[in-house]
Amino acid sequence: RGRARRGTPASVGLGGVADGSTPIAVERGEPHRCGRYDRGMRPSAPARIGSWIVALLVGLVYGVAGTVAHAYAIGWFPLGLILAMIGSAALLLAVRLLTSDRWATLATGLGMMVSTLVFSGSGPGGSVVVPQSGLGVVWTIAVPILVALAVAWPDRIPRME
């Protein structure tokens, strides 16, 4: 069945134990080393929906923080934009790696994009948080690109041996 013979080093490298039996992590109901749960231990629907809501709220907060901070520059150096992009990318990466759920990552990214969109328009008094400048355009385009990369990234990249 595609599994190496018992006792060979290849069976250990594939996530099994030396005797070719089921890996211990799957027996205990923990995620396999690729981050996936076995069928019996998948989180329930309310737990997944709750995690999506929390991810959306966290994305909203990060989006607001990045939208407000992106315009900060020290002389010619766009420190706010760089820190906002690093923070947003780190959040998306953390959600993707810790939850192994593309939908949670997408919810985080949607929160970031919605807050960026809301604060990009003019307010009731006519004030604008994201002016139509180079930094504002870069920030507005960078958020969806970061989200697309984090959501579309493959679950597991095969190793070349």
Side-chain angles (χ1 to χ4, degrees):
R1 276 190 166 206
R3 190 177 267 191
R5 282 186 280 171
R6 267 172 66 171
T8 63
S11 66
V12 176
L14 292 173
V17 290
D19 64 356
S21 64
T22 306
I24 295 171
V26 175
E27 288 176 4
R28 292 184 188 153
E30 298 172 3
H32 189 262
R33 67 186 170 114
C34 69
R36 298 263 182 216
Y37 285 90
D38 61 337
R39 290 184 186 169
M41 292 304 299
R42 189 169 181 99
S44 66
R48 290 187 76 196
I49 292 170
S51 69
W52 297 340
I53 292 170
V54 170
L56 179 77
L57 294 175
V58 170
L60 284 169
V61 170
Y62 265 73
V64 168
T67 301
V68 169
H70 85 278
Y72 181 73
I74 297 177
W76 58 268
F77 187 71
L79 181 64
L81 177 66
I82 292 172
L83 290 177
M85 288 175 59
I86 289 172
S88 298
L91 174 67
L92 290 166
L93 181 67
V95 170
R96 178 64 198 262
L97 291 176
L98 292 174
T99 64
S100 297
D101 186 8
R102 291 181 197 271
W103 293 102
T105 309
L106 183 62
T108 305
L110 285 175
M112 292 167 57
M113 289 188 290
V114 164
S115 61
T116 301
L117 177 69
V118 167
F119 282 96
S120 293
S122 58
S127 63
V128 177
V129 176
V130 182
Q132 191 171 354
S133 65
L135 292 177
V137 171
V138 169
W139 173 245
T140 305
I141 293 172
V143 173
I145 290 173
L146 289 172
V147 172
L149 285 173
V151 172
W153 197 262
D155 288 336
R156 185 171 173 208
I157 300 173
R159 287 189 286 186
M160 302 301 279
E161 292 184 23

